Amino acid sequence: KGWQLQANTNETIQSKLESALLRKFQEKIRVVGASRTDTGVHARGQVAHFDLPPGEYHLDRIQHNVNRMLPDDIRLLELEPAPPADGPNGLPWSSMH
């Protein structure tokens, strides 16, 4: 059903990923995708951002555990830390002049 959350279905990639993160961390974690995809269009190479609850984590373990909770056609391929959020919308940003 595409990448982005939709009011009429829980069958989106974002919904499935947020559900798996909720199960793993026992709290709602919002996932923000870098772009959207339509139904039937692959999301290979999609980059997404989410903030984990405070703590120390092994990203490879998170990746493994969350992937076990996702359907076979959705996978976290790589997790890496992002710089601190400092933009007006809470996302990292830079400006060009």
Side-chain angles (χ1 to χ4, degrees), residues 3 13 17 21 42-48 50 59-68 70-81:
W3 164 263
I13 294 171
L17 184 52
L21 290 168
H42 74 77
R44 283 188 206 121
Q46 172 70 296
V47 175
F50 54 88
L59 297 181
D60 57 333
R61 289 186 196 160
I62 293 171
Q63 179 180 344
H64 174 76
N65 291 333
V66 171
N67 278 339
R68 289 179 51 213
L70 291 169
D72 289 340
D73 59 346
I74 301 173
R75 284 288 169 262
L76 297 177
L77 299 179
E78 183 177 354
L79 294 181
E80 58 184 59

Side-chain angles (χ1 to χ4, degrees), residues 5-73:
L5 290 177
Q6 298 175 31
N8 62 341
T9 183
N10 288 331
E11 295 298 315
T12 66
I13 294 171
Q14 183 180 6
S15 176
K16 298 281 186 181
L17 184 52
E18 288 182 2
S19 239
L21 290 168
L22 174 64
R23 287 174 51 202
K24 169 74 177 151
F25 293 100
Q26 300 300 303
E27 67 180 77
K28 185 173 175 65
I29 296 175
R30 180 75 169 175
V31 177
V32 179
S35 63
R36 297 173 37 175
T37 63
D38 294 325
T39 300
V41 177
H42 74 77
R44 283 188 206 121
Q46 172 70 296
V47 175
H49 168 88
F50 54 88
D51 293 319
L52 296 176
E56 291 189 29
Y57 300 104
H58 292 101
L59 297 181
D60 57 333
R61 289 186 196 160
I62 293 171
Q63 179 180 344
H64 174 76
N65 291 333
V66 171
N67 278 339
R68 289 179 51 213
M69 294 182 239
L70 291 169
D72 289 340
D73 59 346

